[in-house]
Amino acid sequence: MRAFDYVRTTDTREAVRLLADDPEASPLAGGTTQLDLMKDGVLAPARLIDITRLPLHDIERRGETLHVGALVTMEELAADSTVTERLPVVREALLLGASVQLRNMATIGGNLLQRTRCRYFRDPTVGECNKRTPGSGCAAVRGAARMHAVLGASERCIALHASDLAVALVALDAVVHVQGLSQSRTVPLTEFYLTADESPQRENVLEHAELITGVEIPLPPPVARSGYLKVRDRMSYEFALTSAAVLLVVDGGTIDQARVGLGGVGTKPWRSYEAEHVLTGAPATRATFLDAAEATMRDAWTVPGTAFKVPLARRTLVRALRTVSGVTA
Ligand code: SF4
């Protein structure tokens, strides 16, 4: 590992200034992904700015919106009473997203910024990786690609976005709060991420001297039902092969409102507007769910290693919709 400077601050603006002063500096929060990548030689910041003491640890409900500080841990958010009562899709995504040890270290801001698990990206001895070295190619397209993406993917990069929480939050229209050097801004999570086919080397719209300070989650109507289904090779400590975050409001057998996020398939947390379009106003039946699943995966781009994900993602979404709606026929 490359030697680095370490500095700690308790002031958010000071943290941003320290970042702005040094293009090789990087913020450090829970460190559950970042330190692995530093040990592997993929990341080599000259300076780490420890932000764990910034005043960004609160969860606060204001009316029908939940405000979550960027340094709230995954475990703290999963245990929050509003999340338990009104946001089961978020709670399930958090609990299925990591082991309890990781959930107690990993922060919400860090979770949204976690890097891909692509094995070629994480191995600096592999020369072909457009994400690490723009223009070098993509080893995954012709290599083992079981854990890679099929939506927002192309020959340039098929790296999967690994966050479960982000899949639930894009479905809920969450908004990210960002602090920059001279101003703060808000970005809808659906506009926060970039797909790998448009920019393999850049995964989101965050600039170097910007910090995520919090996330705003609009609460769904009390009558809404939601859930997160994760399909994986083993039942714990494993990333999604496919997953679905679903929220439905069903009235008299008709779907009044539908939100769908997909994980394990996209180069970013995938919001399926196609599925929502099919579902909204339609009868809550298995036939409708099958149509929604078909629409969702229509634009999939596969390589031999990822082709199995298309039918699996369809089945995952249908099962999630049946579970949340209670429709078994
Ligand atoms: Fe690199 Fe993306 Fe290809 Fe993985 S999928 S090797 S991250 S370019």
Side-chain angles (χ1 to χ4, degrees):
M1 187 193 288
R2 177 189 181 189
F4 56 87
D5 287 339
Y6 171 86
V7 58
R8 181 194 286 161
T9 177
T10 56
D11 182 81
T12 305
R13 286 182 185 278
E14 169 76 357
V16 173
R17 193 188 59 71
L18 288 166
L19 282 174
D21 285 349
D22 186 347
E24 291 197 72
S26 178
L28 174 69
T32 54
T33 296
Q34 189 174 18
L35 296 181
D36 282 352
L37 291 173
M38 288 172 65
K39 289 176 194 166
D40 288 344
V42 179
L43 298 180
R47 174 176 252 207
L48 285 183
I49 318 291
D50 185 336
I51 61 169
T52 54
R53 310 270 170 106
L54 301 187
L56 306 172
H57 291 267
D58 292 335
I59 304 173
E60 190 184 343
R61 179 170 171 182
R62 294 179 212 152
E64 289 301 283
T65 304
L66 194 67
H67 294 258
V68 182
L71 294 173
V72 169
T73 65
M74 293 173 73
E75 189 68 11
E76 287 167 342
L77 187 58
D80 179 77
S81 58
T82 302
V83 171
T84 303
E85 288 164 24
R86 299 285 297 276
L87 297 165
V89 63
V90 170
R91 179 175 159 81
E92 291 165 17
L94 285 162
L95 295 179
L96 292 171
S99 66
V100 68
Q101 292 92 339
L102 286 170
R103 293 201 303 269
N104 275 303
M105 283 300 293
T107 64
I108 299 307
N111 184 285
L112 298 182
L113 295 176
Q114 67 179 280
R115 307 300 302 275
T116 181
R117 309 302 300 187
C118 174
R119 63 161 75 169
Y120 309 103
F121 170 73
R122 287 176 174 248
D123 181 354
T125 65
V126 174
E128 282 179 278
C129 178
N130 285 326
K131 192 178 281 296
R132 250 190 300 108
T133 312
S136 62
C138 173
V141 166
R142 282 172 300 284
R146 180 172 167 75
M147 300 302 291
H148 287 71
V150 298
L151 295 172
S154 73
E155 279 181 352
R156 299 174 69 200
C157 181
I158 56 173
L160 184 69
H161 193 280
S163 169
D164 293 291
L165 173 65
V167 173
L169 293 184
V170 292
L172 294 171
D173 282 327
V175 174
V176 180
H177 288 238
V178 174
Q179 179 67 55
L181 200 53
S182 56
Q183 61 183 16
S184 58
R185 62 181 175 132
T186 56
V187 186
L189 201 58
T190 49
E191 297 170 21
F192 183 75
Y193 295 104
L194 305 173
T195 56
D197 56 351
E198 47 185 329
S199 76
Q201 72 281 11
R202 190 163 182 215
E203 293 162 10
N204 56 61
V205 299
L206 207 62
E207 302 291 344
H208 171 71
E210 285 188 321
L211 278 179
I212 293 181
T213 54
V215 182
E216 200 180 293
I217 311 173
L219 297 178
V223 294
R225 296 185 61 185
S226 70
Y228 188 73
L229 175 64
K230 181 172 180 176
V231 176
R232 47 190 168 168
D233 282 329
R234 55 185 182 188
M235 283 309 290
S236 79
Y237 202 55
E238 183 57 282
F239 293 91
L241 290 171
T242 56
S243 71
V246 166
L247 180 144
L248 295 173
V249 176
V250 180
D251 185 11
T254 299
I255 302 167
D256 275 353
Q257 201 182 118
R259 301 284 184 76
V260 176
L262 299 174
V265 290
T267 57
K268 65 178 184 177
W270 206 262
R271 175 82 176 262
S272 181
Y273 295 107
E274 297 85 353
E276 293 173 13
H277 180 72
V278 171
L279 292 165
T280 305
T285 62
R286 187 163 185 272
T288 300
F289 301 160
L290 286 167
D291 287 347
E294 187 66 35
T296 287
M297 301 308 293
R298 204 165 279 149
D299 294 329
W301 189 91
T302 64
V303 296
T306 58
F308 78 99
K309 287 198 166 189
V310 176
L312 184 62
R314 288 194 197 111
R315 290 197 296 273
T316 303
L317 178 55
V318 171
R319 196 171 119 203
L321 289 165
R322 293 178 74 180
T323 302
V324 168
S325 68
V327 170
T328 52

